[in-house]
Amino acid sequence: MAKKDPKELPVEEKLKTLFQLQTTLSGIDEKRALRGELPLEVRDLEDELEGLHIRIEKIEQDIKDYQAAITQKKGNIQDAQASLERYNKQLDSVANNREYDTLTKEIEFQTLEIELCNKKIKEAQFKVEEKQKDLQANRALLEDRQHALEEKRNELDEIMQETREEEGLLKEKAAELETKIELGLLRSFKRIRRGARNGLGIVYVQRDACGGCFNKIPPQRQLDVKIHKKIIVCEYCGRILIDPELAGVKVDKTEEKPKKRRATRKKKEEEGE
């Protein structure tokens, strides 16, 4: 049997199919809502962990650089001490004042070099201690964040396992329904859904108002919706409107009756006066 062109379907059939699609998509939205903010929380934790790894690597490299600097300065001290010993021995055999002055200046320079190197070593050792404390704190934070990530992933996996099959079936049903809706109408419906906070692109009329924005609908427009000769949209929110009966929804109007009885009672009391 040849498949009907969606454009050739009556408006009534188009609205029914569109409402079925909305119901199916709302079901998918509910499944995704169960996951809540978990996917974002997992992603944030993964990003945080990546940043912590980079920070830890940087701290470890800084420690290595400071330790290398300490080793270098210690080597400079050894060289300076060796020079001092040599210059002090040479002082015992100087031939003139010029040579003595030269050796004295060298001894003074090497002494200052040793003092400067010791100062640099102390500064580098202090930096190493600071970096090691920072490294320890970041490693503890990394361990804590990794534990939190594992918990969030496990929680997300449990929810995904519970909803994956149902969501898959709903997606298949939605894809099948979309093939029965003309392309232009489907695009408009999806555009409306994207702009709606609750994801509703088509709503039924309830208590003379739009089921999406709850603004009152004029009587003539309600009549147009009921006869479903053409696609009617809410003039306030732009959602497509469908008659509740056509959507298969039972609307309870019993709450409106007490208001009428109260109004009648009040009228009788006025007449009695």
Side-chain angles (χ1 to χ4, degrees), residues 253-269:
K253 297 183 179 180
T254 56
E255 294 183 8
E256 297 178 2
K257 294 179 180 179
K259 294 181 181 179
K260 292 180 180 179
R261 286 200 296 270
R262 284 197 297 271
T264 303
R265 191 183 303 116
K266 185 177 180 182
K267 187 177 180 182
K268 288 181 179 179
E269 289 174 358

Side-chain angles (χ1 to χ4, degrees), residues 7 65 152 156 211 217:
K7 291 182 180 180
D65 291 341
K152 293 293 182 183
L156 181 60
I217 301 172

Side-chain angles (χ1 to χ4, degrees), residues 214-259:
F214 306 109
N215 280 297
K216 288 292 182 182
I217 301 172
Q220 181 57 49
R221 204 166 189 82
Q222 289 187 52
L223 180 60
D224 291 337
V225 173
K226 283 183 178 293
I227 61 177
H228 33 79
K229 293 296 182 182
K230 60 181 179 179
I231 304 293
I232 306 295
V233 299
C234 174
E235 59 186 3
Y236 298 100
C237 66
R239 290 179 174 89
I240 298 169
L241 299 173
I242 183 173
D243 180 45
E245 293 182 6
L246 187 61
V249 178
K250 291 183 179 180
V251 179
D252 185 10
K253 297 183 179 180
T254 56
E255 294 183 8
E256 297 178 2
K257 294 179 180 179
K259 294 181 181 179

Side-chain angles (χ1 to χ4, degrees), residues 7 29 62 83 107 119 126 138 141 152 154 165 180 186 189 198-200 208 210-211 239 242 253 267 270:
K7 291 182 180 180
D29 291 341
D62 288 343
S83 298
I107 290 170
K119 182 182 177 183
F126 179 74
N138 277 279
L141 181 59
K152 293 293 182 183
N154 291 336
E165 185 177 351
K180 300 176 181 179
L186 182 61
F189 168 74
N198 52 11
L200 298 178
D208 302 329
C210 169
R239 290 179 174 89
I242 183 173
K253 297 183 179 180
K267 187 177 180 182
E270 291 174 352

